[in-house]
Amino acid sequence: MRISDLLDLDELCLTLLTGDPAREFTTVHITDLPEPGRYLSGGELVLTGLMWRHEPEDSARFVAALAEAGVAALGAGAALLGHVPADLVAACRAAGLPLIEVPTEVSFRTLAERVVPRLAGDVRDALGRHRRLVAAIAEGADLRELFELTTAELGVTGAVLSASGEVLVGAADDPLRLAKAYLTAPRLPARVGGVTLFAVGRGHRAAGWALACDGDLLSRADLGYELAACVGLERSRMEEGRRVERRLAEQLIVAALAESDAAELNARLRMCGIDAAEPYAIVNATALRAGATRGPDPATLGGQVVEELLGREVVAAAGADGAVAVVPLRERTAADLAARLRAGAEVLAALPDTRLCVGVSGALTGAAAVKGGVEEAGHARRLAEARSGGVVTSDEIYTHALLLATVPGDVRRSFTARLLSPLLGYDRKHQSELVRTLGVFLDCAGSWNACAEQLHVHVNTVRYRVRRIEELTGRNLSTMADRVDFFLALRDTGTPPSR
């Protein structure tokens, strides 16, 4: 029951002195103990005759005890003093606790007799809603039907979003903005413009769902929690059905890596919903969390995220080397698949301390190609990890980048520092551009004129700078071996040579 509903009972003549009238309370408790906290469980409307107040300082102590116990509101009787003292009003205002003045002619017993039946009616309404929801679930209602039923029952509107901003059910303006707010909110529920965000379930936000309710429901959070619980119940039911699909995918991957016979592999591929001649791609994913000691492991969370990014059209079986999903391509290419994953990963990048690393194989056909696709996607994912996250395709791994990714970081840094430090130091001291000239010279395949044109300098300036680079490093830029060393050193700095 809301305080505003209580104030609407004209015969009680109640007055709100401070606080939010939309605040809800679940029961009524009468006390004049100076320290009532041990007898309170939270959510109560506490009624007091002020017998505990002997001096103004008592008000702050009494209100602090109520606030710590999670009381919803305080009703103070005017019978003892003829009014509600200003120090009690100030203490409630400071604590954000609504304060109601109960006039002398209204007894606490009368007030409770009027309120308790209303509260019982609220409970009956909630039980009725729950029975109707259980009946709908038993009859096979899907997420949309349950969401529409619950929002109609509760009188709220909104939408359910994935962490990447996909609207799963309902309607929402600017879902990407809401998804990023859900990912970055210090705590939920949270108010974002004209919307209140709730978390659905207790899983990691990277693979979670957000409930976006129109309006400010922070003062009526029970409605949002009830709707979120309903959505979470349906999501749990969906998850149960996907466990069998994950086992089938895991069995396919294990059989492929063990090089089982073709007949068995084709049968397992069909069990995963892919025909032998149908193109597919392999996705390998992990989600690395800085300093995480609890929650899902990187492979499990990575698989959950991939499932969400691909609209729950596939499952990802978590293993020792990341989560692996076999994704039918049908009307798209492997590049289209990677683009979809990148779009979702860009939104998830707003989540602090979590790095999504995804590798995507090329297009494959036939069960015999599964093993190669798993290895390919695994190499791509490890390259993504070396890049501190992102989506890497098979096209990117068959280059020097894969070789660099397999070399320990301290070895790469030592190689780069030893080769480029003389040039970097010279540039800092003389405000020159030897490193930039080196990068452009290599990009121009050693062409003096092309390099000079791109740098907007005379060709003799390029010749002078190249000679200076050779003198400082002891290398010869006319040889392919030394050019390759410089190229790799520049690439390992994380910046293309020509920049």
Side-chain angles (χ1 to χ4, degrees):
M1 184 175 182
R2 290 190 295 272
I3 294 173
S4 58
D5 297 329
L6 184 62
L7 298 175
D8 288 339
L9 300 177
D10 294 335
E11 66 273 22
L12 296 180
C13 301
L14 304 177
T15 302
L16 180 65
L17 300 180
T18 185
D20 182 5
R23 181 78 65 87
E24 295 191 349
F25 61 94
T26 56
T27 187
V28 176
H29 184 87
I30 303 173
T31 184
D32 269 306
L33 293 173
E35 296 288 342
R38 72 182 68 179
Y39 303 105
L40 300 170
S41 57
E44 298 95 343
L45 166 62
V46 170
L47 301 178
T48 180
L50 305 179
M51 300 296 293
W52 46 266
R53 183 185 179 277
H54 303 292
E55 55 186 5
E57 290 75 14
D58 292 340
S59 292
R61 288 192 290 270
F62 184 78
V63 170
L66 298 184
E68 185 177 354
V71 165
L74 173 63
L80 180 64
L81 302 177
H83 66 284
V84 175
D87 49 87
L88 181 59
V89 177
C92 288
R93 183 177 294 113
L97 184 68
L99 174 62
I100 300 169
E101 180 179 9
V102 182
T104 303
E105 61 271 18
V106 176
S107 70
F108 289 164
R109 178 178 178 180
T110 300
L111 192 155
E113 288 176 347
R114 293 299 313 274
V115 169
V116 170
R118 296 281 296 269
L119 292 173
D122 291 343
V123 172
R124 286 194 298 272
D125 290 343
L127 290 174
R129 282 197 302 273
H130 294 164
R131 283 195 294 269
R132 289 188 287 274
L133 288 174
V134 170
I137 292 172
E139 293 171 2
D142 59 16
L143 177 61
R144 180 188 59 80
E145 293 168 327
L146 287 176
F147 185 77
E148 292 177 352
L149 172 62
T150 310
T151 52
E153 291 272 4
L154 296 175
V156 299
T157 57
V160 178
L161 313 170
S162 73
S164 61
E166 178 190 0
V167 178
L168 306 177
V169 65
D173 294 330
D174 201 354
L176 289 180
R177 179 180 65 90
L178 294 176
K180 290 179 180 179
Y182 161 71
L183 291 170
T184 57
R187 61 181 61 85
L188 294 169
R191 177 80 181 275
V192 182
V195 174
T196 306
L197 293 175
F198 294 83
V200 175
R202 297 184 178 181
H204 195 277
R205 290 193 196 182
W209 289 0
L211 170 64
C213 294
D214 297 328
D216 182 4
L217 288 192
L218 290 180
S219 59
R220 301 182 60 196
D222 61 309
L223 297 181
Y225 287 131
E226 187 172 347
L227 181 52
C230 175
V231 174
L233 181 63
E234 175 58 17
R235 188 182 187 189
S236 297
R237 187 175 70 168
M238 294 164 59
E239 180 66 18
E240 286 295 326
R242 297 171 68 78
R243 290 181 181 175
V244 175
E245 298 176 39
R246 289 196 191 98
R247 282 199 296 271
L248 293 175
E250 181 181 6
Q251 291 167 1
L252 168 63
I253 301 304
V254 170
L257 294 178
E259 298 183 342
S260 300
D261 64 80
E264 179 185 351
L265 289 177
N266 280 316
R268 293 194 180 281
L269 191 63
R270 285 193 298 272
M271 292 174 69
C272 292
I274 300 175
D275 294 330
E278 183 179 2
Y280 63 91
I282 303 292
V283 173
N284 186 301
T286 58
L288 307 176
R289 297 179 296 148
T293 57
R294 294 186 297 176
D297 62 82
T300 299
L301 180 57
Q304 293 171 349
V305 172
V306 165
E307 291 178 358
E308 291 297 323
L309 293 183
L310 297 180
R312 295 152 302 284
E313 65 186 64
V314 298
V315 294
D321 188 34
V324 178
V326 183
V327 185
L329 294 177
R330 300 195 173 112
E331 300 301 321
R332 62 189 170 194
T333 65
D336 296 333
L337 173 63
R340 181 173 178 181
L341 290 168
R342 285 195 182 100
E346 287 179 4
V347 180
L348 294 178
L351 187 63
D353 303 326
T354 300
R355 295 187 295 122
L356 178 64
C357 306
V358 181
V360 183
S361 76
L364 309 167
T365 53
V370 171
K371 180 179 179 181
V374 170
E375 294 174 348
E376 199 173 77
H379 287 314
R381 192 216 75 228
R382 285 186 283 277
L383 180 54
E385 290 178 351
R387 293 178 176 176
S388 298
V391 178
V392 175
T393 66
S394 60
D395 292 339
E396 300 174 72
I397 66 173
Y398 296 114
T399 68
H400 65 278
L402 178 61
L403 296 179
L404 287 176
T406 61
V407 177
D410 56 342
V411 175
R412 296 199 313 270
R413 287 189 293 271
S414 177
F415 171 79
T416 299
R418 183 165 184 171
L419 195 56
L420 297 182
S421 287
L423 306 182
L424 293 168
Y426 187 90
D427 280 348
R428 282 193 297 268
K429 182 177 181 180
H430 299 280
Q431 301 297 307
S432 56
E433 293 189 320
L434 293 187
V435 173
R436 180 167 179 258
T437 300
L438 173 61
V440 175
F441 182 75
L442 294 175
D443 273 359
C444 294
S447 170
W448 306 97
N449 292 325
C451 181
E453 183 178 348
Q454 189 166 332
L455 290 173
H456 305 291
V457 299
H458 194 275
V459 68
N460 288 339
T461 301
V462 175
R463 292 181 186 277
Y464 168 78
R465 291 179 181 177
V466 169
R467 282 198 304 270
R468 199 78 186 99
I469 291 169
E470 292 175 334
E471 292 170 358
L472 290 169
T473 61
R475 298 300 186 105
N476 185 352
L477 280 169
S478 66
T479 66
M480 179 59 70
D482 284 348
R483 287 189 186 185
V484 169
D485 283 348
F486 278 123
F487 177 84
L488 294 178
L490 288 168
R491 288 284 174 179
D492 198 46
T493 63
T495 304
S498 61
R499 293 184 183 175

